[in-house]
Amino acid sequence: MQVSDLFIYPLKSARGIAISSASVDAFGLAGDRRAMLVDPSGHFFTQRELQDLARIDIQPAPSYMRLKMDGKSDIIVPPPHPENRMDVIVWKSPVSASVADEATNKALSAWLGREVRMVFFDRLAKRIASPEWAGEDTPVTFADGYQILVTTTGSLKALNANLAAHGEGAVGMERFRPNIVIDIDEEWPEDQWAAIEIGGIRLDLVKPCARCIMTTQDQTTGSRDVPNPMPAMGRIRMSADRRVPGPLFGWNAVPRGEGSVKIGDTVTVLEGRPEGWAFKRR
């Protein structure tokens, strides 16, 4: 089995970027979820609250970031001043983040019809993933909770087969916003993986990913008038473990080294999880 796709999401909850290779460090894939939108109090936004985030296209460059949205003038975002900071919250995690310039924030607020600020996870920002799952002192940026999300093509095929059997259409992998997609025919093999290796980097699969309403939204328009994977996940992927309730798809992974990964890299299972994960059965 091998890596079939790689994605980063420079602005949390905005459009992803397909890439052919990526550097990996303790934070995950380079450039992933380094920026985020918040309200004036510092509460973060996602497509759950702002569906139009799916319409924002990001083009990173060495000295700036270009934001694009259909029907709008591009926004050129210069590097933030490190001393211009605010405290923000990602779920329950407080982070001191640098803040974009006033012109950027005004333009984004006009785009989205509400007051927002763009913040950045810079070298002064600190955040640690849950030690209960990830171990002690594993740094993470603005991702929901962990550094890397891994999915497999075989599992998406199985999910779509269930959708088709109930006349509910089909969905693409972009709905699940993975970082690393592994090409394999087997259904749900990741439930039995405790650790894998890609490009010489060990990735510990520490926690399955509980899914939310974002999976029901088109990832280019934000529309929810599209096939919905939630019923199928409810039928075949509903967690029976109270520590991680809800429908599950994909696994959160923690890198235990540095290096690079690329499309076509071989994926090796280093450690298994024979007990898998407990699911409710209908």
Side-chain angles (χ1 to χ4, degrees), residues 7 9 12-13 33 46-48 91 143-146 148-152 155-156 159 171-181 188 190-191 207-217 219 228-239 241 243-253 277 279:
F7 300 94
Y9 309 86
K12 182 178 179 68
S13 225
R33 295 173 173 95
T46 70
Q47 289 181 37
R48 300 171 187 90
W91 298 111
D144 273 359
Y146 300 90
I148 293 173
L149 182 65
V150 175
T151 62
T152 66
S155 297
L156 180 65
L159 184 69
V171 297
M173 192 68 84
E174 75 282 352
R175 293 288 191 91
F176 302 97
R177 300 176 66 84
N179 295 116
I180 299 175
V181 181
W188 318 114
E190 59 271 30
D191 292 339
K207 186 181 181 183
C209 186
R211 311 313 306 216
C212 70
I213 196 172
M214 278 183 60
T215 63
T216 72
Q217 297 174 189
Q219 287 302 299
N228 180 356
M230 293 293 274
M233 287 191 287
R235 288 187 290 265
I236 62 176
R237 296 292 293 175
M238 187 62 69
S239 176
D241 189 323
R243 297 175 301 165
V244 189
L248 308 180
F249 190 96
W251 274 77
N252 294 295
W277 190 265
F279 289 94

Side-chain angles (χ1 to χ4, degrees), residues 161-218:
N162 189 276
L163 283 165
H166 291 82
E168 295 168 347
V171 297
M173 192 68 84
E174 75 282 352
R175 293 288 191 91
F176 302 97
R177 300 176 66 84
N179 295 116
I180 299 175
V181 181
I182 297 171
D183 187 27
I184 185 173
D185 291 334
E186 184 181 349
E187 299 177 2
W188 318 114
E190 59 271 30
D191 292 339
Q192 279 74 47
W193 299 342
I196 59 177
E197 182 179 274
I198 306 173
I201 305 168
R202 178 188 174 106
L203 300 175
D204 287 345
L205 276 65
V206 299
K207 186 181 181 183
C209 186
R211 311 313 306 216
C212 70
I213 196 172
M214 278 183 60
T215 63
T216 72
Q217 297 174 189
D218 184 286

